[in-house]
Amino acid sequence: MELFSNLALGFATAASPENLLFCLIGVLLGTLIGVLPGIGATATIAMLLPITFQLEPVSSLIMLAGIYYGAQYGGSTTAILINMPGESSSAVTAIDGYQMARKGRAGAALSIAALGSFFAGTVSTFLVALFAIPLTAIALKFGAAEYFSLMIVGLVSSVALAHGSVVKALAMVALGLLLGLVGTDIYTGTPRFTLGIREYADGLNFVAVAVGVFGIAEILRNLEGEKTRSVLVHKVSGLWPTREDFRRMAAPVLRGTAIGSALGILPGGGAILAAFASYTVEKRVSDKPEEFGHGAIAGVAGPESANNAGAQTSFIPLLTLGIPANPVMALMVGAMIIQGIVPGPNVASEQPALFWGIIASMWIGNLMLVVLNLPLIGLWVKLLTIPYYVLFPIIMAFCSIGVYSVNSNVYDLYAVAFFGFAGYLLVKLRCEPAPLLLGFVLGPLLEENLRRAMILSRGDPTTFITRPISATLLLIALAVLVVVFLPSVRAKREEVFQEED
Amino acid sequence: MKSLAFDSTNAICGAVFVILGGFFTYQSLTLDLGTALRMGPGYFPLLLALILVVLGLVVLVQSTRVAGEPLGPIALRGMAFILPAPVFFGLTVRGLGFVPALFFTALIAAFASSRMKPTMALMLAAAITLFSVVVFSYALGLPFQRFGPWVRF
Amino acid sequence: MRRLHLTRRHALAAGLSLAAALALGSPAHADGFPDRQITMVVPFAAGGSTDVVARIVAQKMSDDLGQQVIVQNVAGAGGNLGADNVARAEPDGYTILMGTVATHALNPLILKSTPYDAEKDFAPISLLVVVPNVLIVNPELPVKTVAELVALLKAEPGKYSYASSGNGTPLHLSGELFKSMAGVEMEHIPYKGSGPALNDVIGNQVPIMFDNLPSSSGHIKTGTLRGLAVTTKERAPSFPEMPTVGESVPGYETYTWNALFAPAGTPPEVVARLNVAAGKALADPAVAERMTEFSATVVGSTPEELAAHVKAEIAKWTPVVRDAKIQLD
């Protein structure tokens, strides 16, 4: 069978001592930069690009891919330990993961994240191997109308992210969408909401906003009651998940893997939605939805698996079409070009060792990550017992470096301070940052695709319901809306009836 | 029957949403709105801003129905030292260079906690700077000047 | 002068350890330039074609200068942020710009206000490469030549759209120039960069696009996209079969170029030293080979030639921008 010979070629390529070494270097470096708050894979890969000039093409791409998923992995660690997500996907992990850490269960949260990611990585690697080409054909059917409808599904789902007031969650989504629109309008070139600051012409930096509203707000919150406490967590119970934990993570991991694999294929926003979508699904199917937001295991296991599966399958458009789904993938394209490989549909047929070698290395890299990280969990958890007056200056220093390293834009640092303040204000007002961040990520995509769809249909709004995929997605959004609102309506009515009694 | 109660947190929250919505509405109106069929840069944000105002009003109205918890303590000292830290880094990283800018950034942030002693703060800032220079500047090779024009002789 | 001969192992070490910084200090030059690392500002995001050119050239320039030339991406405002940063940097040759047709010809014409003057605020160093653009269509569009495309667009005016990498980019202007010179109507659909636009053309969401030849050459070779013509005056060496747009629309010519600039006031001997380093980098056979695979043509120039080139480009694009009425804030 062709698949097996291809995979055999891939593993033979990826398992050469040299390539194993570069894979290891990649995942190590990725984990390191992922764990340091603020600094991301984009900056690191950019720095390493010229070095890859000297390497074999396969080795360099294996190393860069390793940095990418290693960073995703390390990013979850920071999200769980100090509520500091470095990527949009780990923002979801922070919601329940950080709560678990506060309850002394950081070790369990980290191992669940690691094991869930590994499982998802394994499955989605094989999906990439099996279906890369047919899946690409499906992804190409997504035009502006379909993306718009997909974003609507994402936004509707985001309401489920909130565990407080639905109205406030909606307001946070709206605010996030507006913040996402800051910058130059791509259709007319008009700057919007930039207050005349040219440095914001390309919009607010995601890392700056995320670090501000999640991380810095949390630091400030911890400084409130410092008369009584000096460390984040006093008691750290059991480093490893219990048998009960394993039982409760199995189904969420499976569902998260499926969601992540499916959405990861869509370039431009698919992988971002995966973690959010998984969280929503878990909260819906859970028999204890009230646990979400207070350290639910499913709220870590599902999104983490989805996030990792999405990270793997987002290589599909890159490998089959040469089209980057995100900035990191754009750098991989750059790396290929430096190596004299012109990315495009011919890579699989002209460079089979490269194509299948990268796919095989993803699985090997994931295995390395689990083996490396499980023993490290004890060390990470120890971090929580560092007095926070020592921890916070360290975090602030790394955040400053990390945010500045993204674009060398000092205004991004001012944005960190501003969103730190705003995030703290929102915490004090009992608003949750996760819907805001989702809105922030989706805002520009939503508007861009809405307007593009309208121009392409020459102003005919029925384009959203006459295109079958778009119509299906809108129906799903409607269904989610009904499912989300029904229980709260029912609860309200019960409340009313009780009051009448 | 509930007595007349007032949730001050939600009242402030609603007001904040209304003010922010108002700001974005005002800004959107200065942009070209276009039509629903051919939207201008102001169309979509105006829609969102108005939704935000409406949601803010809903929160405001709801706040008069139920009593809520008070705001609780506010980390004034934390804000006074944590928030300026990245701003200071931004203002000085080009002029002073990476090493001094980072040292002072860490030093400023260190004073956010009332438990921090000055000598401890200096040592901590020096340790952070040393670690960061080794990791970020040398090992990862981030393109920062270690010492900027303000301190070069 | 000691040269940095990078072996594979050393190259890796350079990135991962202290080797990069400890590498070399070259005392060889009379004026002592350079005695520390040089920052090459790329005014676009990492991974794009300008970034790739910069990183390949910077690597080789480091070898010649004996000091690291590091690439720093200062993306934003269509390249203006990075260009402005360099315009205002110390004129000592330690901060240089990877300029493009966007930063030094188009932006000053398109934008109501540009923070810098493309001619007065920079000391030209060297033109590096010229990159052709290409007119591509989805294979389902029933046209095989530029003439057939023009006929189709004239038969059904306003029905078809074309994609570009963004408003006011060289590719957008290539499209607008085509519309005005061929006398056809197409709706412009801007994207955030070439990648997503290409994706929609392959998926036939939008049938027509102007792209950089490097980013779509793989698709043209495999037939997922149909390349109708390149936009340069001469045919591209990597696609000798493909005609030029000018063969059907006489006088049509656009292309993207990359060149190095220092801030105005940089001492001429420093500029000359950088020019030599850039020239040596371009002459390196490995670099030339990469650039050719990448469909870019290595050009190189003296500082004076680059100054004349910038002047000529501005003169060429002024009427185009005026006629297409492209004006951004």
Side-chain angles (χ1 to χ4, degrees), chain C residues 26 40 52 83 127 152 166 211 233 275 289 292 295:
Chain C
S26 162
M40 184 189 287
V52 170
L127 190 61
L152 181 75
D211 193 16
K233 199 178 268 172
N275 178 280
E289 189 195 332
T292 311
S295 296

Side-chain angles (χ1 to χ4, degrees), chain A residues 159 164 166-167 284 480-498:
Chain A
V159 177
V166 172
V167 179
R284 277 314 311 157
V480 172
L481 208 59
V482 170
V483 172
V484 167
F485 276 98
L486 264 188
S488 67
V489 172
R490 201 184 301 135
K492 280 260 169 54
R493 282 176 50 192
E494 277 162 15
E495 212 172 282
V496 172
F497 288 133
Q498 277 166 3

Side-chain angles (χ1 to χ4, degrees), chain A residues 18 46 187 202 321 338 408, chain C residues 8 55 72 76 167 219 290:
Chain A
E18 197 184 42
Y187 291 92
D202 282 359
L321 290 177
I338 285 186
S408 307
Chain C
R8 190 177 298 169
R55 286 176 195 278
Q72 185 174 25
N167 219 320
H219 294 282
R290 289 281 183 266

Side-chain angles (χ1 to χ4, degrees), chain B residues 13-101:
Chain B
C13 182
V16 168
F17 286 154
V18 172
I19 292 166
L20 285 172
F23 166 78
F24 279 107
T25 308
Y26 171 76
Q27 290 268 311
S28 304
L29 288 173
T30 64
L31 300 165
D32 177 23
L33 294 181
T35 64
L37 301 185
R38 184 165 275 279
M39 295 171 205
Y43 189 91
F44 190 66
L46 180 65
L47 209 65
L48 288 172
L50 291 176
I51 291 174
L52 186 59
V53 171
V54 170
L55 290 171
L57 288 174
V58 172
V59 175
L60 206 56
V61 169
Q62 281 179 345
S63 73
T64 58
R65 300 235 186 102
V66 283
E69 307 149 38
L71 275 182
I74 293 174
L76 287 177
R77 185 188 172 109
M79 284 201 278
F81 289 100
I82 290 287
L83 298 179
V87 175
F88 178 86
F89 188 76
L91 290 173
T92 57
V93 65
R94 290 206 186 129
L96 286 177
F98 179 65
V99 176

